[in-house]
Amino acid sequence: MGSPDHFNQRVMVTPISTKRVEDVKSDALNTLLHISDLDSLDEWRVQYLGRKGQLTQLLRGLSSAPENDRAQIGAAANIAKTVLEEQLRLREADLKAEHLSGVVDRERIDVTLPGLPVPEGKLHPTTRMVREITTAFASMGFQIEEGPEIEYERYNFDMLNIPSDHPARDMWDTLWIDQARPDGYRPLLLRTHTSPMQARVMENIDPPVRVVVPGKCYRYEATDSTHEWHFYQVEGLAVGEGITFADLKGTLYEFARRIFGEDRKIRFRCDFFPFVEPGVDMSISNFKDKDGNRPINRDEDWIEILGAGMVHPKVLEGVGYDPDRYTGFAFGMGVERIAMLKYGIDDIRLFYSNNTQFISQF
Ligand code: PHE
């Protein structure tokens, strides 16, 4: 019959011994040599030094060792533990340093490289044009006003000498918001021009009046390269005592020169708008120079840019001005059209394409 120790040694798969401790230690140190990242290092720590790790298990099994050997095995195991912990610490420090220097390498900033361009915002060409136009008139003594885009039929048409049965309403294809109702409800529409502001301004202030009104307008119209169903206009109105057609000409001549250049000539031709009498359209000159080039890239000597005229007496009367005492002139222009001429843009739809490449050119 063998001794209990002998018995124990036979049944234990890996009986605890100094040799066993040394094996685990050198095994651990060998494995450590191949570890190259922090995650694997942590797995290594769990495998050898963790609560269920190999070395920890050995220490726990110390009681099963022959009593005489226990002190020696225990000491060896503690040394092994210290060595492994120390190696763990060193390897961890190395790997962290390596990781950091990798990060630094990857994220190194070369201060000699040119900077990245910061995208710069630009004003929309319509906005720029509105500002150029209104600034030109402001410097001639005009105030800048704005009005509603949703407008009463009354201001858009009736107050401008365009009663509901008047065929001239066909000149402005209208987007109606509401039709008339028997209860006296006043129909609404999207204004087809900025002219309703003529009546609104005159209702509010006594003469003399000098205003320009930039704003969005809408028409129920098919679009093509020269037509949009929404667009901007700038309206102008000057009313007072003794204002004549000569004032209209002088003011618009000065405007044309400021926007399109000093050498500009202007031409007026008769035109019809129910709210002016006489009514005109104005064109700017576009003659060939001695090399055969034109200031505006269009094969025309004259380019129409706006409608204008002397304010109709009925309009003055309608807002309570005495037409025998006061006279005035009004004009209206399409902002995109002016911008197209000035900047050489050939399709009005580009203004509303939401295309920043287009916008950034101006
Ligand atoms: N409102 C007119 C239009 O949109 C332009 C205009 C304004 C004509 C003022 C004469 C006077 O066509």
Side-chain angles (χ1 to χ4, degrees):
M1 196 169 80
S3 66
D5 284 334
H6 184 237
F7 174 79
N8 275 344
Q9 279 180 8
R10 269 213 314 217
V11 295
M12 276 183 68
V13 184
T14 48
I16 183 157
S17 63
T18 311
K19 161 115 178 33
R20 175 79 190 118
V21 171
E22 288 303 321
D23 282 351
V24 169
K25 184 178 99 180
S26 62
D27 186 40
L29 291 175
N30 271 333
T31 319
L32 190 62
L33 289 177
H34 303 291
I35 282 175
S36 55
D37 64 89
L38 287 162
D39 283 347
S40 321
L41 183 65
D42 197 54
E43 279 167 28
W44 179 91
R45 181 189 59 75
V46 170
Q47 193 189 338
Y48 293 102
L49 297 166
R51 266 196 314 122
K52 290 185 177 155
Q54 293 191 29
L55 196 62
T56 320
Q57 295 288 38
L58 279 181
L59 277 162
R60 278 210 193 116
L62 200 57
S63 55
S64 65
E67 208 173 333
N68 287 343
D69 297 343
R70 275 187 209 160
Q72 202 197 345
I73 299 173
N78 276 323
I79 289 170
K81 192 169 176 239
T82 313
V83 168
L84 292 191
E85 280 172 352
E86 176 68 4
Q87 289 304 314
L88 170 68
R89 204 180 53 71
L90 291 174
R91 194 82 191 96
E92 187 176 46
D94 278 358
L95 287 176
K96 280 190 175 156
E98 257 172 49
H99 176 75
L100 194 66
S101 78
V103 170
V104 169
D105 270 352
R106 260 175 282 124
E107 298 183 2
R108 168 163 284 137
I109 293 168
D110 182 346
V111 293
T112 65
L113 284 174
L116 294 174
V118 179
E120 196 188 326
K122 284 270 183 127
L123 288 180
H124 193 280
T126 306
T127 308
R128 280 192 52 173
M129 206 65 238
V130 163
R131 291 191 187 178
E132 268 186 66
I133 294 168
T134 51
T135 304
F137 285 108
S139 72
M140 291 187 262
F142 285 77
Q143 279 177 262
I144 301 166
E145 287 282 344
E146 284 182 297
E149 291 173 24
I150 294 177
E151 186 54 283
Y152 292 114
E153 173 188 39
R154 186 175 124 83
Y155 287 108
N156 197 84
F157 289 125
D158 303 73
M159 301 278 286
L160 294 170
N161 194 28
I162 319 169
S164 55
D165 55 355
H166 199 290
R169 283 207 180 186
D170 296 347
M171 289 169 73
W172 296 277
D173 297 295
T174 308
L175 285 155
W176 291 91
I177 290 177
D178 265 315
Q179 296 294 335
R181 287 204 306 245
D183 58 6
Y185 172 85
R186 294 193 292 170
L188 288 167
L189 46 74
L190 292 177
R191 68 176 172 194
T192 58
H193 48 181
T194 41
S195 301
M197 277 301 284
Q198 291 186 28
R200 281 182 178 274
V201 167
M202 287 190 282
E203 268 187 349
N204 270 317
I205 57 170
D206 290 329
V209 173
R210 272 151 189 58
V211 289
V212 279
V213 184
K216 193 105 183 261
C217 306
Y218 302 83
R219 288 194 196 166
Y220 184 52
E221 232 172 352
T223 59
D224 61 30
S225 63
T226 55
H227 295 87
E228 256 293 358
W229 66 273
H230 55 156
F231 52 92
Y232 276 78
Q233 284 193 342
V234 173
E235 189 82 10
L237 176 70
V239 181
E241 281 179 85
I243 293 184
T244 69
F245 200 91
D247 298 308
L248 182 161
K249 283 174 101 171
T251 307
L252 292 179
Y253 183 39
E254 182 58 24
F255 157 74
R257 282 156 42 97
R258 292 209 194 173
I259 300 295
F260 291 103
E262 289 288 308
D263 302 329
R264 201 57 58 166
K265 305 240 176 316
I266 54 171
R267 180 189 75 179
F268 291 94
R269 289 190 306 189
C270 287
D271 201 348
F272 172 73
F273 303 97
F275 36 94
V276 286
E277 181 58 37
V280 293
D281 62 51
M282 185 180 104
S283 300
I284 52 171
S285 61
N286 189 36
F287 301 136
K288 286 183 184 158
D289 62 16
K290 55 183 185 325
D291 305 317
N293 298 318
R294 297 184 189 274
I296 294 168
N297 186 22
R298 274 197 200 194
D299 200 21
E300 295 165 81
D301 283 342
W302 295 96
I303 298 173
E304 195 182 314
I305 62 164
L306 57 82
M310 298 305 288
V311 181
H312 198 288
K314 280 198 178 166
V315 174
L316 295 174
E317 238 167 49
V319 297
Y321 284 12
D322 178 358
D324 291 328
R325 186 169 166 200
Y326 298 114
T327 52
F329 64 84
F331 56 87
M333 66 188 88
V335 175
E336 289 86 354
R337 187 177 157 71
I338 306 267
M340 287 167 79
L341 295 171
K342 179 153 182 175
Y343 301 126
I345 300 162
D346 56 12
D347 194 324
I348 194 171
R349 291 166 295 195
L350 286 167
F351 288 87
Y352 298 97
S353 59
N354 223 4
N355 182 344
T356 51
Q357 263 192 334
F358 166 69
I359 291 167
S360 63
Q361 299 174 82
F362 302 98

